[in-house]
Amino acid sequence: MIASAAAQTAGARPGPAELRKIEAYFNGLTTLRARFLQLAQNGGTAQGTAYIWRPGRMRFDYDPPEPLLLIASDGQFYHFDRELSQPSIVPVSSTPLGFLLRRDLRLSGDVTVTGLERSGGFLRVTLHRTNSPAEGRLTLVFAEEPMELRQWLVVDAQGQQTRVTLSAIETGMRLDPRLFDFNDPRFPEWERERR
């Protein structure tokens, strides 16, 4: 009888309490550093190191030979191809990952949750910007015990999917603010020196 009750609890349909736990996780998160593995819809893969400093800052440093560098800072999202020496810049607020960088994350109001499920010790929440569902959607995957972001899946406006899986996750460390600087079109001196 006890085992049956435990099984029912483990399989219980997630709801508002789980959404509040996700909000609390993000709103308590200041810094994060992790290795990432990125898988594109066409099967292409890339890996590197991700840095998040909430609110507002994120960096994806891709390992060679991938020439990309992504930096979110000062409300802008910079996408830089080192081979072409050419940046593209869009507002952070127009990207699905902009949700993660908000000072106060709320999964309601201007954010619409379209899916919430639990399986295998993981909690998945799918969301999009309420007023702009055509921009794309974001699915976040969390380990529940303890609560930890492990993966996200972005589906962009064209329906293209990109999955990012995190490993070797560290939180609460001190990060160098210069990690999130971007001098267009050149990198800061310290960035060039470390390559």
Side-chain angles (χ1 to χ4, degrees):
M1 199 64 101
I2 294 174
S4 175
Q8 287 177 357
T9 301
R13 183 177 174 87
E18 283 75 16
L19 292 179
R20 287 193 296 273
K21 284 173 63 176
I22 292 170
E23 291 173 344
Y25 168 80
F26 275 113
N27 293 328
L29 181 67
T30 53
T31 57
L32 178 146
R33 177 174 53 216
R35 293 290 296 165
F36 71 84
L37 174 63
Q38 178 178 298
L39 177 62
Q41 186 166 319
N42 65 6
T45 63
Q47 56 187 339
T49 304
Y51 305 87
I52 296 174
W53 189 350
R54 297 184 72 256
R57 290 174 277 194
M58 178 183 286
R59 178 184 176 111
F60 287 86
D61 232 338
Y62 288 79
D63 292 346
E66 188 64 47
L68 299 179
L69 172 67
L70 306 177
I71 296 177
S73 184
D74 300 320
Q76 301 296 315
F77 198 80
Y78 302 90
H79 179 275
F80 192 86
D81 186 316
R82 290 181 171 111
E83 286 181 352
L84 301 177
S85 293
Q86 183 165 348
S88 60
I89 303 170
V90 297
V92 168
S93 61
S94 71
T95 68
L97 288 178
F99 294 124
L100 308 184
L101 302 180
R102 292 180 170 188
R103 179 174 302 276
D104 185 27
L105 177 70
R106 293 285 172 252
L107 298 177
S108 60
D110 67 340
V111 175
T112 296
V113 173
T114 59
L116 183 62
E117 63 181 74
R118 173 187 285 126
S119 63
F122 290 92
L123 190 63
R124 293 169 179 79
V125 59
T126 301
L127 47 92
H128 66 77
R129 200 177 311 280
T130 301
N131 294 330
S132 305
E135 277 181 359
R137 65 184 184 276
L138 175 66
T139 299
L140 303 171
V141 181
F142 300 87
E144 283 201 88
E145 297 297 336
M147 178 71 75
E148 184 176 61
L149 179 64
R150 294 289 185 84
Q151 186 180 84
W152 61 76
L153 172 69
V154 175
V155 180
D156 67 18
Q158 289 73 45
Q160 296 296 306
Q161 298 183 16
T162 304
R163 183 180 308 273
V164 174
T165 302
L166 303 180
S167 62
I169 300 165
E170 302 172 79
T171 59
M173 80 292 299
R174 183 176 175 82
L175 295 175
D176 187 335
R178 294 179 299 171
L179 276 172
F180 307 95
D181 289 344
F182 184 85
N183 293 339
D184 182 8
R186 297 178 307 118
F187 296 114
E189 196 65 39
W190 71 274
E191 164 76 14
R192 292 198 301 275
E193 287 171 0
R194 73 189 190 98
R195 287 195 290 156

